[in-house]
Amino acid sequence: MTRDEIHDTVVEILSDSFELDRADIKLESTLYEDLDLDSIDAVDIFVQLRSVTGRRPDPAKAKEIRTVDELITFVEEELAAAERGDPEPDVQLPDGSTPPE
Amino acid sequence: MSNNPRSSTTHDVVICGGGLAGLTLARQLGREQPELRVAVVEPSRRPLPMVTHKVGESTVEVGTNYLAHTLGLKPYLDAEHLPKNGLRFFSGDNRGPFVDRVEFGPFEFPPVPSYQLDRGKLENDLRAMVEEHVDLREGVKVSRVELAESGSDDPHRVVIEGDDGEQTLSTRWVVDATGRRHLLRRQLDLGAPSRIDASSSWFRVPEKVDVAELVDASEERWHTRDNHGNRWLSTNHLTGPGYWVWIIPLAGDHTSIGIVAETEHHPFETFHTLEKSLEWLAEHEPALAKRLEGVEASDFLVRKQYSYSGKRFLSTDRWAAVGEAAFFTDPLYSQGTDYITFANTYTARAIREDREGTLSEELVSLANQFMLRLFEANEDILARSGNVFRHADVFGTKLLWDYYYYWAFMAAWYFNRVYAMDVERQRRFLALGDEYARVSRYIQETARAWAELRQHDGWKARTHVGLPDTLSVITDLHMQLDVQKDPDAAEARMREDLEGAKEFAAEVLYRALIGVGPENAAELARRVDLASWDLPLDGARVALQEGSRVARRGGFSRVARDLERLMGHPPGNGTPLARLLEQALGRRVEAPGLQARA
Ligand SMILES: Cc1cc2nc3c(=O)[nH]c(=O)nc-3n(C[C@H](O)[C@H](O)[C@H](O)COP(=O)(O)OP(=O)(O)OC[C@H]3O[C@@H](n4cnc5c(N)ncnc54)[C@H](O)[C@@H]3O)c2cc1C
């Protein structure tokens, strides 16, 4: 996927999921202020992004993301990691804990 | 046993039938009450055929917890059977491209585990395990049971027949685990009809059938979202008008495939032979039928009108009926092993209390009531649901409620060990259960009416709803199962979740009203008898329906918000929800929090 394609996909997911006008989703838009998302919305974004990246998102990295641009970069990095066959981060339960062995 | 000299009996417990219910009860008694002299009488001999032995391969949370922990089989199940990737449903246009069906199912293994069992293997292995401490008679059948006079302390007599002729066992307890042979049910007139009128056919094929093969490889996003390639490990259900089809993987690359259809929509004669079942699949599930072309079935079996209820399963007269000998509701949510779990567990408790001289009519009556309520709850969920299977928005909403109900009440009963609590406390749980059942009835009736009167799309198509790996109220209920709670905390939690259940019912009503539109809002209200509902409807919440996303997020309850996250925001039909509700109720609902009841 090129960066442009990733951009289009991210915009599509954001606009479809959160009733946002595509024109309002700019590279520099911040997710939590400009686009008015909250932490539960963020969970939903990362669930949806799995269908693009094919990987469990790394929660530490995901937490750092502030803007649409950073989100696109994140997807790009995840795709590269998938390409390299990097191991996925450990399973995280929905409440953020890890399952007992 | 308390009043009875043991020497006058050959056994303390005779279990008639060594299928899943009989063998698991034998193992449970052996672990919990090792001093008991238990016999299991079973006509068939080992080795049982693998794969094709019996139907009922998929377990859910309760049955799994019972097998894994109560019976201590976890290491065995992990090693010898398949881990299950939850329940998965594909709903929507059954004849269109498979990729367009809405998918409900997890992509990470659900936190609380379950399995896909090979029933032949499991029963072979269970026999080997129990024969160490149980008098296991294989190749022997029970010809009749002579019950002692009611209220007496005399032993029951069980007449058995094998290669060396007839023999009589005398026992304090007799347990009917003969499945559809129903030994005691006939004798004691225990049968009762079911409101579910559906039949099933099924067959096994000697290869892995992966539901992912039904979607072209070029559909990258569809395949990528299941990045671990684990869809095939789910109990996969394809739903369509009046029916659903299961695809269940079995160890050793075999697959079980079954059709379950309501008589009203699909007469049994349309799928009662293998040839007809394949033709039926070609018509209703063309993608699956295509995948099965040229594949040879290893077996073919049917059950016409499979559902039946019972009046009771346990008696102070020292008998019990467990497994299919007592009840069978419906396979949709794989609860067969759950019924076995509850019946076995109450039976084991009754046998123990009888030995200790504390067995009371109250406990037995409560156990019977619980099982009957469980049956009725599942009847409410499943009877006449053929039209609900037709529409992904209706079905999905109902499915989420059915999960909510199962985790908040039915499964919580087992995980919180309610069955072991004193009778007084269990009665309070049962009363809570009645409240859940009432709310569930509202929802099921609404879903049926919604499916039948539907005019507008209930959502902006979500393609995948990932329960229970998405953080939500419902997933939280699933995860709560594994959190140990004392009886007070368990009761408080169940009560708290009941409030969420009522919110859930209101949300389903709103979605249904939007779906049926101004054309049918009044008719929907009439069909569900909305005027008689006792449910808080909140005018402020209703007014938010057409508000902005941010306004809704701010004003919605957690349940409302989660339903919107999972099922989408209904696009609406031009008529505000408040107006639809007014048409339905014949009056306005004011903000905030006025009762719907006039
Ligand atoms: C279509 C369908 C799908 C299902 N899917 C599932 C599922 O996915 N998950 C699930 O958990 N459950 C499922 N079930 C239910 C499951 O099949 C039952 O819960 C389970 O098999 C019942 O076990 P049982 O021991 O009561 O009966 P059985 O396993 O039938 O055992 C009865 C035993 O009694 C013996 N017997 C018969 N007559 C006599 C006699 N005279 N004397 C002594 N012994 C005798 C038989 O030989 C047999 O071994 C399904 C059921 C149906 C109909």
Side-chain angles (χ1 to χ4, degrees):
Chain A
M1 258 183 153
T2 65
R3 193 170 167 92
D4 277 352
E5 285 167 342
I6 297 172
H7 174 265
D8 290 349
T9 308
V10 165
V11 170
E12 176 197 312
I13 288 176
L14 290 175
S15 66
D16 286 0
S17 310
F18 306 113
E19 297 167 34
L20 296 169
D21 203 326
R22 279 168 198 247
D24 292 340
I25 308 174
K26 307 210 176 66
L27 283 178
E28 64 278 11
S29 309
T30 56
L31 302 176
Y32 303 107
E33 293 82 27
D34 297 344
L35 302 184
D36 241 323
L37 305 182
D38 69 5
S39 58
I40 294 178
D41 296 329
V43 170
D44 293 347
I45 295 176
F46 288 104
V47 168
Q48 296 222 46
L49 282 177
R50 280 179 69 138
S51 70
V52 182
T53 66
R55 283 168 59 82
R56 279 180 208 126
D58 181 338
K61 269 166 94 186
K63 228 179 254 152
E64 297 297 308
I65 296 167
R66 294 280 166 260
T67 64
V68 173
D69 196 42
E70 287 167 23
L71 191 59
I72 294 167
T73 304
F74 168 81
V75 174
E76 217 171 29
E77 286 170 7
E78 290 287 287
L79 283 168
E83 187 93 355
R84 286 192 302 271
D86 288 2
E88 286 186 81
D90 287 341
V91 180
Q92 269 221 332
L93 297 181
D95 66 0
S97 62
T98 44
E101 255 324 299
Chain B
M1 324 223 56
S2 49
N3 307 322
N4 221 35
R6 268 184 125 186
S7 55
S8 75
T9 56
T10 55
H11 294 89
D12 299 316
V13 184
V14 171
I15 300 173
C16 310
L20 188 60
L23 291 169
T24 49
L25 178 62
R27 182 165 167 96
Q28 182 174 14
L29 292 175
R31 283 167 67 86
E32 295 172 358
Q33 307 178 57
E35 57 289 2
L36 287 176
R37 298 163 306 160
V38 177
V40 174
V41 183
E42 165 60 44
S44 67
R45 292 177 205 269
R46 275 172 286 178
L48 304 169
M50 307 287 254
V51 180
T52 59
H53 179 53
K54 273 175 192 158
V55 72
E57 298 100 344
S58 156
T59 70
V60 285
E61 287 84 344
V62 171
T64 306
N65 191 272
Y66 175 69
L67 296 174
H69 301 293
T70 309
L71 302 189
L73 295 173
K74 183 162 171 30
Y76 162 77
L77 293 170
D78 284 340
E80 305 288 341
H81 296 266
L82 291 175
K84 174 174 148 182
N85 189 15
L87 301 174
R88 185 177 306 281
F89 296 83
F90 294 91
S91 187
D93 181 7
N94 57 325
R95 300 188 43 84
F98 201 82
V99 67
D100 291 339
R101 287 174 82 163
V102 185
E103 179 174 8
F104 301 90
F107 290 122
E108 297 287 357
F109 279 79
V112 182
S114 54
Y115 295 93
Q116 308 286 14
L117 306 171
D118 181 318
R119 290 288 302 273
K121 175 159 187 46
L122 180 63
E123 290 183 23
N124 274 322
D125 295 341
L126 275 173
R127 285 191 197 188
M129 292 178 215
V130 302
E131 74 185 338
E132 318 220 321
H133 58 84
V134 156
D135 177 10
L136 176 62
R137 312 274 179 110
E138 286 171 289
V140 178
K141 74 170 208 218
V142 175
S143 4
R144 63 179 191 281
V145 175
E146 294 164 7
L147 291 173
E149 202 174 309
S150 176
S152 84
D153 246 337
D154 299 338
H156 303 307
R157 292 156 56 83
V158 179
V159 182
I160 63 174
E161 198 186 318
D163 287 345
D164 3 310
E166 243 186 41
Q167 198 191 337
T168 300
L169 310 179
S170 57
T171 177
R172 178 133 181 106
W173 278 84
V174 59
V175 178
D176 180 5
T178 59
R180 282 174 187 251
R181 171 72 176 68
H182 300 308
L183 213 55
L184 288 183
R185 184 183 168 92
R186 293 172 190 194
Q187 192 169 334
L188 296 171
D189 185 28
L190 299 176
S194 164
R195 281 180 275 142
I196 297 169
D197 180 4
S199 301
S200 178
S201 75
W202 65 92
F203 51 94
R204 266 58 68 117
V205 297
E207 58 184 80
K208 177 172 157 182
V209 177
D210 185 344
V211 59
E213 295 169 77
L214 309 188
V215 171
D216 198 86
S218 66
E219 300 287 351
E220 275 180 33
R221 294 260 306 258
W222 192 93
H223 289 284
T224 307
R225 72 179 185 232
D226 176 32
N227 56 312
H228 302 108
N230 281 337
R231 280 186 175 103
W232 70 284
L233 283 169
S234 302
T235 297
N236 282 291
H237 306 70
L238 320 184
T239 74
Y243 75 85
W244 59 276
V245 166
W246 82 70
I247 308 174
I248 298 178
L250 303 174
D253 278 348
H254 293 263
T255 307
S256 169
I257 293 173
I259 298 172
V260 180
E262 283 189 356
T263 308
E264 188 191 332
H265 299 265
H266 302 273
F268 184 50
E269 294 66 40
T270 58
F271 59 95
H272 74 314
T273 63
L274 178 58
E275 204 187 345
K276 287 203 168 157
S277 284
L278 294 173
E279 277 169 25
W280 189 99
L281 287 173
E283 185 184 342
H284 300 285
E285 289 293 342
L288 175 61
K290 189 146 178 295
R291 167 63 185 82
L292 294 176
E293 269 170 23
V295 178
E296 191 111 9
S298 329
D299 65 344
F300 178 79
L301 290 153
V302 296
R303 283 266 166 91
K304 188 178 181 186
Q305 294 173 306
Y306 52 70
S307 187
Y308 53 85
S309 185
K311 293 179 187 133
R312 57 190 193 281
F313 80 99
L314 185 63
S315 167
T316 47
D317 284 334
R318 296 171 280 114
W319 58 258
V322 297
E324 290 202 343
F327 312 90
F328 184 69
T329 36
D330 195 280
L332 181 65
Y333 295 131
S334 303
Q335 284 176 274
T337 310
D338 291 8
Y339 278 87
I340 290 176
T341 298
F342 285 121
N344 281 1
T345 300
Y346 274 113
T347 300
R349 176 168 173 183
I351 291 172
R352 179 172 53 75
E353 292 212 7
D354 176 49
R355 291 167 59 217
E356 291 166 355
T358 58
L359 180 61
S360 67
E361 195 60 63
E362 285 70 32
L363 175 73
V364 166
S365 146
L366 183 129
N368 282 318
Q369 279 178 50
F370 171 71
M371 289 297 282
L372 284 181
R373 304 289 170 85
L374 195 64
F375 190 94
E376 284 165 13
N378 282 317
E379 261 182 324
D380 284 333
I381 288 174
L382 294 155
R384 294 185 297 110
S385 39
N387 286 315
V388 172
F389 290 134
R390 195 183 287 269
H391 305 291
D393 50 358
V394 186
F395 174 70
T397 307
K398 166 210 162 56
L399 175 70
L400 296 182
W401 162 253
D402 293 345
Y403 280 145
Y404 188 110
Y405 190 10
Y406 179 67
W407 289 328
F409 177 71
M410 304 184 205
W413 193 285
Y414 192 71
F415 280 77
N416 293 322
R417 309 288 178 245
V418 175
Y419 56 79
M421 296 176 191
D422 62 68
V423 172
E424 215 26 63
R425 170 100 62 179
Q426 289 197 52
R427 281 219 187 91
R428 289 208 300 276
F429 276 95
L430 208 56
L432 275 175
D434 287 346
E435 287 285 295
Y436 275 93
R438 181 172 62 84
V439 172
S440 183
R441 251 183 322 266
Y442 293 161
I443 295 177
Q444 308 298 346
E445 281 170 19
T446 305
R448 279 180 203 113
W450 176 10
E452 284 159 18
L453 301 169
R454 186 175 175 282
Q455 300 283 332
H456 309 272
D457 270 348
W459 62 6
K460 194 153 96 268
R462 273 282 148 92
T463 51
H464 164 231
V465 179
L467 279 173
D469 55 12
T470 305
L471 177 71
S472 65
V473 171
I474 300 168
T475 299
D476 188 39
L477 288 171
H478 169 86
M479 304 214 345
Q480 271 295 313
L481 294 177
D482 265 345
V483 178
Q484 292 301 314
K485 295 187 244 351
D486 65 28
D488 286 337
E491 201 179 324
R493 173 77 202 216
M494 202 180 273
R495 206 174 288 285
E496 204 179 293
D497 292 334
L498 180 61
E499 295 314 305
K502 291 177 187 167
E503 285 169 14
F504 206 121
E507 292 300 320
V508 176
L509 174 66
Y510 304 151
R511 282 174 181 266
L513 285 173
I514 294 167
V516 305
E519 302 89 332
N520 283 330
E523 175 60 14
L524 181 127
R526 194 188 63 76
R527 289 201 191 176
V528 305
D529 195 12
L530 187 60
S532 73
W533 284 23
D534 179 13
L535 199 69
L537 301 177
D538 178 349
R541 148 70 186 93
V542 169
L544 280 173
Q545 186 66 27
E546 292 78 29
S548 72
R549 190 186 74 88
V550 173
R552 296 199 303 276
R553 192 178 71 196
F556 273 12
S557 67
R558 259 186 91 199
V559 168
R561 177 160 190 203
D562 278 349
L563 262 170
E564 183 167 311
R565 289 170 61 216
L566 297 168
M567 297 299 298
H569 178 58
N573 51 45
T575 309
L577 177 59
R579 179 82 195 100
L580 292 168
L581 195 57
E582 196 179 326
Q583 288 179 1
L585 286 168
R587 60 176 180 78
R588 282 186 72 84
V589 171
E590 306 295 338
L594 283 190
Q595 298 284 309
R597 188 165 237 173

